[in-house]
Amino acid sequence: AFAAPSNGADALEFVGVGQPLPGADVMIADRHGQPLPVRQIGEILVRSETMLDGYLGEPDGAAPIREGWLRTGDLGYQAPGQLFVTGRIKDLIIQGGQNLIPSVLEEIVSEVEGVRAGAAAAIGVRSAEHETDKVCIVAETRLAASEHPHLAARIRERLSAYGVALDRVLLI
């Protein structure tokens, strides 16, 4: 049985991010990859016709794909017609022994001119070859594609000022 929502001081409010795009599926799973019922928090798994096969420059099997589902590392739940993101499984990127907090990196990147405010994601991708996490940034911009290399350089420079070596930048 589920508890009724509360309006108390300890209540949390989450905003629904909508439904999957056509051709994409979302599943909320427990730690063993088994589907969870609606309104139960678990890892968000996705699969689609356009999903990645792996990570460029990484050995096969480096991408967190299990039985056709991409493990996002994000936590969330589904309610009829909506997906709600509640957090991350591992809210820490460990790069060469340095602990990095994704939300802090995202805030720094969001302040770079040309990045849409609040539209950056910091992702730690485990590199078995290097035995550390690689730091990847995905950021949304309205700049023309011809400006993307310059924006990526500004993002790298900004994070470098904080001692963060950025492995990849993806601008969308």
Side-chain angles (χ1 to χ4, degrees):
F2 297 104
S6 166
N7 290 330
D10 62 344
L12 296 175
E13 186 174 313
F14 296 103
V15 176
V17 296
Q19 299 177 339
L21 296 171
D25 296 311
V26 173
M27 175 174 62
I28 307 300
D30 65 16
R31 68 178 65 137
H32 305 291
Q34 298 302 308
L36 290 171
V38 296
R39 300 187 191 280
Q40 292 231 351
I41 294 176
E43 183 175 11
I44 300 171
L45 307 181
V46 296
R47 68 177 174 194
S48 75
E49 300 164 355
T50 60
M51 191 171 77
L52 61 94
D53 293 325
Y55 294 129
L56 183 65
E58 289 294 321
D60 290 342
I65 299 174
R66 181 182 8 191
E67 298 177 11
W69 291 92
L70 174 66
R71 299 183 63 202
T72 67
D74 291 321
L75 294 172
Y77 67 92
Q78 288 182 306
Q82 291 287 316
L83 171 66
F84 295 84
V85 179
T86 61
R88 290 188 169 120
I89 290 174
K90 180 183 131 188
D91 208 11
L92 195 63
I93 299 171
I94 305 171
Q95 182 189 51
Q98 181 180 15
N99 294 341
L100 305 171
I101 301 169
S103 60
V104 172
L105 300 180
E106 293 161 0
E107 187 176 322
I108 293 167
V109 170
S110 289
E111 293 172 355
V112 174
E113 186 178 341
V115 173
R116 196 172 140 246
I123 304 161
V125 178
R126 185 74 186 156
S127 172
E129 180 182 346
H130 297 102
E131 297 183 5
T132 190
D133 288 343
K134 289 189 172 187
V135 180
C136 303
I137 296 291
V138 179
E140 191 174 322
T141 183
R142 290 191 173 101
L143 295 177
S146 62
E147 292 295 314
H148 288 190
H150 301 293
L151 178 56
R154 288 195 309 270
I155 290 170
R156 287 179 187 282
E157 183 179 299
R158 183 69 186 266
L159 287 173
S160 178
Y162 289 90
V164 177
L166 189 56
D167 293 290
R168 294 209 173 106
V169 178
L170 174 62
L171 299 171
I172 55 174

